[in-house]
Amino acid sequence: MHNLNNKTALITGAGQSVGLGVAQQLANAGAHVMVNDIVVERAQAVARALCADGKSATALAFDVTDADQVKHALQDTAVDILVNNVGNAGSMPMAQTRFIDLSLETITQVINANLYGVIHCTQAVLPGMCERGFGRVICIGSEAGRQGLSIGVSPYGAAKAAIANLIRHVALEVAANNVTCNTVSLGLMNNVPAEFANAVLSSIPLGRLGTPDDAASMCLLLASDSGSWITGQEFVVNGGSSVRG
Ligand SMILES: NC(=O)c1ccc[n+]([C@@H]2O[C@H](COP(=O)([O-])OP(=O)(O)OC[C@H]3O[C@@H](n4cnc5c(N)ncnc54)[C@H](O)[C@@H]3O)[C@@H](O)[C@H]2O)c1
């Protein structure tokens, strides 16, 4: 049983889906969970539900792509565990588009959500973690960051590859401070549109899409004492498959 008593965990984009599942598992393990989302009502609803269930949680709404907002929101907060979960196209719907048809504006928006969001949040909490001599940084990556796919997600894949490698470098820089940094890269999850899911379901050896709990279990392991000798790694949680376009 993992124990996160007396730890404060910030989960970005925890208003729904994977982030919500991570918030629930870390809260169940005893952490005080700070529920971030760009949609204030979502963050508040999740924090309220966790508290009603006897867990410890607060809502903390900000936009991870805005460095000033992130700095301001986190300046007085000691975060022990950061889960960089915001991704996809950020607050916009994910429009799958061939690279040659992409506008620079869309590319920038996707890079902002998937790479700069991670940079802003990690930079905001890392100095405090190093000073206190404890920290866990977990990034949510994707299969799209590990291979080429012909499904119109090239900037997303580029940003996910970037965070996995960024965090390998950061892991080595802060290892002496007892701060670990890892990436959990997910395969296709159960919140994608049905027509897309049906097309790739047969390529998943374990025969089903991923759930928020599948992702959260790996995050919990890495956040807990059981993960204390694991850093600079990328863990793939994908039902045994690589999704092919
Ligand atoms: N869904 C999948 O199939 C899948 C597959 C592989 C990896 N992933 C990764 O898993 C993570 C979670 O994905 P999901 O499908 O659960 O996401 P989701 O889109 O269902 O939820 C993301 C949450 O983040 C919030 N958010 C968006 N932009 C934000 C911002 N700028 N600042 C703060 N909050 C913001 C949204 O309001 C939303 O509540 C992402 O990093 C995604 O890339 C997902």
Side-chain angles (χ1 to χ4, degrees), residues 126 135-138 164-183 221-224 226-235:
L126 211 48
R136 300 277 193 265
V137 178
I138 300 162
N165 212 40
L166 170 80
I167 225 65
R168 282 188 191 102
H169 285 266
V170 177
L172 298 186
E173 293 178 5
V174 299
N177 300 87
N178 190 32
V179 177
T180 67
C181 305
N182 293 287
T183 298
L221 173 85
L222 293 171
S224 72
S226 304
S228 64
W229 205 52
I230 304 174
T231 198
Q233 306 302 316
E234 181 174 8
F235 296 92

Short mmCIF file of all heavy atoms in Angstrom, two decimals, residues 126 135-138 164-183 221-224 226-235:
data_model
loop_
_atom_site.label_atom_id
_atom_site.label_comp_id
_atom_site.label_asym_id
_atom_site.label_seq_id
_atom_site.Cartn_x
_atom_site.Cartn_y
_atom_site.Cartn_z
N LEU A 126 10.43 23.20 -8.89
CA LEU A 126 11.71 22.49 -8.71
C LEU A 126 12.64 23.14 -7.67
O LEU A 126 13.25 22.42 -6.86
CB LEU A 126 12.40 22.36 -10.07
CG LEU A 126 13.29 21.16 -10.32
CD1 LEU A 126 12.66 19.84 -9.94
CD2 LEU A 126 13.72 21.14 -11.79
N GLY A 135 11.39 15.50 -3.88
CA GLY A 135 10.48 15.89 -4.96
C GLY A 135 10.25 14.76 -5.93
O GLY A 135 11.09 13.86 -6.10
N ARG A 136 9.07 14.79 -6.53
CA ARG A 136 8.72 13.83 -7.58
C ARG A 136 8.08 14.62 -8.72
O ARG A 136 7.06 15.28 -8.51
CB ARG A 136 7.68 12.82 -7.08
CG ARG A 136 8.13 11.99 -5.88
CD ARG A 136 8.96 10.81 -6.37
NE ARG A 136 9.15 9.84 -5.31
CZ ARG A 136 10.21 9.80 -4.52
NH1 ARG A 136 11.16 10.70 -4.63
NH2 ARG A 136 10.32 8.87 -3.60
N VAL A 137 8.68 14.55 -9.90
CA VAL A 137 8.09 15.18 -11.08
C VAL A 137 7.73 14.07 -12.05
O VAL A 137 8.58 13.25 -12.40
CB VAL A 137 9.08 16.17 -11.75
CG1 VAL A 137 8.46 16.77 -13.01
CG2 VAL A 137 9.49 17.27 -10.77
N ILE A 138 6.47 14.04 -12.43
CA ILE A 138 5.98 12.99 -13.34
C ILE A 138 5.30 13.68 -14.52
O ILE A 138 4.40 14.52 -14.33
CB ILE A 138 4.97 12.07 -12.62
CG1 ILE A 138 5.64 11.40 -11.41
CG2 ILE A 138 4.42 11.02 -13.59
CD1 ILE A 138 4.68 10.83 -10.39
N ALA A 164 9.81 14.08 -22.67
CA ALA A 164 10.46 12.87 -22.15
C ALA A 164 11.96 13.08 -22.07
O ALA A 164 12.62 12.65 -21.10
CB ALA A 164 10.12 11.67 -23.02
N ASN A 165 12.52 13.76 -23.06
CA ASN A 165 13.98 13.95 -23.03
C ASN A 165 14.37 15.12 -22.13
O ASN A 165 15.40 15.07 -21.45
CB ASN A 165 14.55 14.11 -24.43
CG ASN A 165 15.95 13.56 -24.49
OD1 ASN A 165 16.22 12.50 -23.90
ND2 ASN A 165 16.86 14.26 -25.13
N LEU A 166 13.54 16.16 -22.11
CA LEU A 166 13.80 17.28 -21.18
C LEU A 166 13.94 16.73 -19.76
O LEU A 166 14.88 17.06 -19.03
CB LEU A 166 12.62 18.26 -21.24
CG LEU A 166 12.59 19.34 -20.16
CD1 LEU A 166 13.53 20.49 -20.53
CD2 LEU A 166 11.18 19.88 -19.94
N ILE A 167 13.03 15.85 -19.41
CA ILE A 167 12.95 15.40 -18.03
C ILE A 167 14.10 14.43 -17.69
O ILE A 167 14.52 14.34 -16.55
CB ILE A 167 11.53 14.83 -17.76
CG1 ILE A 167 11.01 15.34 -16.44
CG2 ILE A 167 11.42 13.35 -17.89
CD1 ILE A 167 10.78 16.82 -16.39
N ARG A 168 14.64 13.76 -18.73
CA ARG A 168 15.85 12.94 -18.51
C ARG A 168 17.02 13.83 -18.08
O ARG A 168 17.78 13.50 -17.18
CB ARG A 168 16.26 12.20 -19.78
CG ARG A 168 15.43 10.99 -20.07
CD ARG A 168 16.02 10.19 -21.25
NE ARG A 168 15.05 9.20 -21.65
CZ ARG A 168 14.25 9.28 -22.71
NH1 ARG A 168 14.33 10.31 -23.53
NH2 ARG A 168 13.36 8.36 -22.97
N HIS A 169 17.14 14.96 -18.76
CA HIS A 169 18.22 15.90 -18.41
C HIS A 169 18.00 16.46 -17.02
O HIS A 169 18.91 16.50 -16.19
CB HIS A 169 18.28 17.04 -19.43
CG HIS A 169 18.87 16.65 -20.75
ND1 HIS A 169 20.19 16.81 -21.06
CD2 HIS A 169 18.30 16.07 -21.83
CE1 HIS A 169 20.42 16.36 -22.29
NE2 HIS A 169 19.28 15.90 -22.77
N VAL A 170 16.77 16.93 -16.77
CA VAL A 170 16.46 17.54 -15.46
C VAL A 170 16.70 16.53 -14.35
O VAL A 170 17.22 16.85 -13.28
CB VAL A 170 15.01 18.07 -15.44
CG1 VAL A 170 14.66 18.63 -14.07
CG2 VAL A 170 14.79 19.12 -16.52
N ALA A 171 16.33 15.27 -14.62
CA ALA A 171 16.48 14.21 -13.60
C ALA A 171 17.92 14.14 -13.11
O ALA A 171 18.18 14.00 -11.91
CB ALA A 171 16.05 12.87 -14.18
N LEU A 172 18.86 14.24 -14.03
CA LEU A 172 20.28 14.13 -13.64
C LEU A 172 20.73 15.38 -12.88
O LEU A 172 21.54 15.30 -11.97
CB LEU A 172 21.14 13.92 -14.88
CG LEU A 172 20.85 12.61 -15.64
CD1 LEU A 172 21.85 12.41 -16.76
CD2 LEU A 172 20.84 11.41 -14.71
N GLU A 173 20.16 16.53 -13.26
CA GLU A 173 20.56 17.77 -12.59
C GLU A 173 20.10 17.83 -11.13
O GLU A 173 20.72 18.50 -10.32
CB GLU A 173 20.00 18.98 -13.36
CG GLU A 173 20.63 19.15 -14.73
CD GLU A 173 20.04 20.31 -15.52
OE1 GLU A 173 19.20 21.05 -14.97
OE2 GLU A 173 20.40 20.47 -16.69
N VAL A 174 18.98 17.17 -10.82
CA VAL A 174 18.42 17.30 -9.47
C VAL A 174 18.47 16.00 -8.65
O VAL A 174 17.97 15.96 -7.52
CB VAL A 174 16.96 17.83 -9.51
CG1 VAL A 174 16.91 19.21 -10.16
CG2 VAL A 174 16.05 16.85 -10.26
N ALA A 175 19.10 14.98 -9.20
CA ALA A 175 19.14 13.69 -8.49
C ALA A 175 19.79 13.82 -7.12
O ALA A 175 19.33 13.21 -6.14
CB ALA A 175 19.88 12.64 -9.34
N ALA A 176 20.82 14.63 -7.04
CA ALA A 176 21.54 14.77 -5.76
C ALA A 176 20.67 15.44 -4.70
O ALA A 176 20.98 15.37 -3.50
CB ALA A 176 22.82 15.58 -5.97
N ASN A 177 19.58 16.08 -5.13
CA ASN A 177 18.65 16.72 -4.18
C ASN A 177 17.49 15.80 -3.80
O ASN A 177 16.51 16.25 -3.20
CB ASN A 177 18.08 18.00 -4.78
CG ASN A 177 19.15 19.01 -5.10
OD1 ASN A 177 19.72 18.97 -6.19
ND2 ASN A 177 19.44 19.89 -4.17
N ASN A 178 17.60 14.52 -4.18
CA ASN A 178 16.53 13.56 -3.89
C ASN A 178 15.22 13.93 -4.59
O ASN A 178 14.13 13.74 -4.05
CB ASN A 178 16.32 13.42 -2.38
CG ASN A 178 15.41 12.26 -2.02
OD1 ASN A 178 15.39 11.25 -2.71
ND2 ASN A 178 14.63 12.44 -0.96
N VAL A 179 15.36 14.47 -5.79
CA VAL A 179 14.18 14.77 -6.62
C VAL A 179 14.24 13.83 -7.82
O VAL A 179 15.26 13.76 -8.51
CB VAL A 179 14.19 16.24 -7.10
CG1 VAL A 179 13.00 16.50 -8.03
CG2 VAL A 179 14.18 17.19 -5.91
N THR A 180 13.18 13.07 -8.03
CA THR A 180 13.13 12.17 -9.19
C THR A 180 12.20 12.74 -10.27
O THR A 180 11.23 13.45 -9.95
CB THR A 180 12.62 10.76 -8.80
OG1 THR A 180 11.25 10.84 -8.42
CG2 THR A 180 13.45 10.17 -7.68
N CYS A 181 12.52 12.44 -11.50
CA CYS A 181 11.75 12.96 -12.64
C CYS A 181 11.57 11.85 -13.66
O CYS A 181 12.57 11.27 -14.12
CB CYS A 181 12.51 14.10 -13.33
SG CYS A 181 12.98 15.46 -12.26
N ASN A 182 10.34 11.54 -14.00
CA ASN A 182 10.05 10.45 -14.93
C ASN A 182 8.89 10.82 -15.84
O ASN A 182 8.12 11.75 -15.53
CB ASN A 182 9.70 9.18 -14.15
CG ASN A 182 10.88 8.63 -13.37
OD1 ASN A 182 11.82 8.07 -13.94
ND2 ASN A 182 10.87 8.82 -12.05
N THR A 183 8.74 10.05 -16.90
CA THR A 183 7.61 10.24 -17.82
C THR A 183 6.80 8.94 -17.89
O THR A 183 7.38 7.86 -17.92
CB THR A 183 8.13 10.59 -19.23
OG1 THR A 183 8.85 11.81 -19.15
CG2 THR A 183 7.00 10.75 -20.23
N LEU A 221 2.93 4.80 -8.08
CA LEU A 221 4.18 4.07 -7.79
C LEU A 221 5.37 5.04 -7.82
O LEU A 221 6.20 5.05 -6.90
CB LEU A 221 4.39 2.97 -8.83
CG LEU A 221 5.74 2.27 -8.72
CD1 LEU A 221 5.69 1.16 -7.67
CD2 LEU A 221 6.20 1.71 -10.04
N LEU A 222 5.44 5.86 -8.85
CA LEU A 222 6.59 6.77 -8.99
C LEU A 222 6.58 7.85 -7.91
O LEU A 222 7.64 8.32 -7.49
CB LEU A 222 6.57 7.42 -10.38
CG LEU A 222 6.83 6.46 -11.54
CD1 LEU A 222 6.57 7.14 -12.88
CD2 LEU A 222 8.25 5.90 -11.49
N ALA A 223 5.40 8.23 -7.45
CA ALA A 223 5.29 9.29 -6.43
C ALA A 223 5.63 8.77 -5.04
O ALA A 223 6.04 9.53 -4.16
CB ALA A 223 3.88 9.86 -6.44
N SER A 224 5.49 7.47 -4.85
CA SER A 224 5.61 6.90 -3.51
C SER A 224 7.05 6.52 -3.18
O SER A 224 7.94 6.59 -4.03
CB SER A 224 4.74 5.63 -3.43
OG SER A 224 5.37 4.61 -4.19
N SER A 226 8.13 3.62 -2.97
CA SER A 226 8.51 2.49 -3.84
C SER A 226 9.24 2.97 -5.10
O SER A 226 9.96 2.19 -5.73
CB SER A 226 7.27 1.71 -4.27
OG SER A 226 6.56 1.30 -3.15
N GLY A 227 9.04 4.23 -5.45
CA GLY A 227 9.69 4.76 -6.66
C GLY A 227 10.94 5.57 -6.38
O GLY A 227 11.45 6.25 -7.28
N SER A 228 11.46 5.46 -5.16
CA SER A 228 12.52 6.40 -4.76
C SER A 228 13.86 6.18 -5.47
O SER A 228 14.72 7.05 -5.46
CB SER A 228 12.73 6.33 -3.24
OG SER A 228 13.19 5.04 -2.90
N TRP A 229 14.03 5.01 -6.13
CA TRP A 229 15.31 4.76 -6.84
C TRP A 229 15.08 4.73 -8.36
O TRP A 229 15.81 4.13 -9.10
CB TRP A 229 15.94 3.44 -6.36
CG TRP A 229 17.42 3.39 -6.54
CD1 TRP A 229 18.34 4.31 -6.14
CD2 TRP A 229 18.18 2.35 -7.21
NE1 TRP A 229 19.61 3.92 -6.49
CE2 TRP A 229 19.54 2.70 -7.13
CE3 TRP A 229 17.82 1.15 -7.81
CZ2 TRP A 229 20.56 1.92 -7.68
CZ3 TRP A 229 18.85 0.36 -8.35
CH2 TRP A 229 20.20 0.74 -8.27
N ILE A 230 14.01 5.40 -8.79
CA ILE A 230 13.66 5.40 -10.22
C ILE A 230 13.69 6.85 -10.70
O ILE A 230 12.89 7.69 -10.23
CB ILE A 230 12.25 4.82 -10.45
CG1 ILE A 230 12.14 3.41 -9.86
CG2 ILE A 230 11.93 4.82 -11.93
CD1 ILE A 230 10.74 2.83 -9.91
N THR A 231 14.59 7.17 -11.60
CA THR A 231 14.59 8.53 -12.15
C THR A 231 15.14 8.55 -13.56
O THR A 231 15.89 7.66 -13.96
CB THR A 231 15.35 9.51 -11.22
OG1 THR A 231 14.97 10.84 -11.57
CG2 THR A 231 16.87 9.37 -11.34
N GLY A 232 14.70 9.57 -14.32
CA GLY A 232 15.18 9.76 -15.69
C GLY A 232 14.63 8.75 -16.68
O GLY A 232 15.19 8.57 -17.76
N GLN A 233 13.51 8.11 -16.33
CA GLN A 233 12.99 7.02 -17.16
C GLN A 233 11.67 7.39 -17.84
O GLN A 233 10.97 8.29 -17.41
CB GLN A 233 12.77 5.76 -16.29
CG GLN A 233 14.00 5.33 -15.50
CD GLN A 233 15.21 5.04 -16.39
OE1 GLN A 233 15.07 4.38 -17.42
NE2 GLN A 233 16.37 5.53 -15.99
N GLU A 234 11.37 6.62 -18.88
CA GLU A 234 10.07 6.75 -19.54
C GLU A 234 9.36 5.41 -19.45
O GLU A 234 9.89 4.39 -19.92
CB GLU A 234 10.24 7.16 -21.02
CG GLU A 234 8.92 7.34 -21.75
CD GLU A 234 9.08 7.88 -23.18
OE1 GLU A 234 10.23 7.97 -23.66
OE2 GLU A 234 8.05 8.18 -23.79
N PHE A 235 8.20 5.38 -18.84
CA PHE A 235 7.43 4.15 -18.67
C PHE A 235 6.25 4.17 -19.63
O PHE A 235 5.51 5.16 -19.70
CB PHE A 235 6.94 4.01 -17.23
CG PHE A 235 8.08 3.86 -16.28
CD1 PHE A 235 8.64 4.97 -15.66
CD2 PHE A 235 8.66 2.61 -16.05
CE1 PHE A 235 9.74 4.84 -14.82
CE2 PHE A 235 9.75 2.47 -15.22
CZ PHE A 235 10.29 3.59 -14.61
#
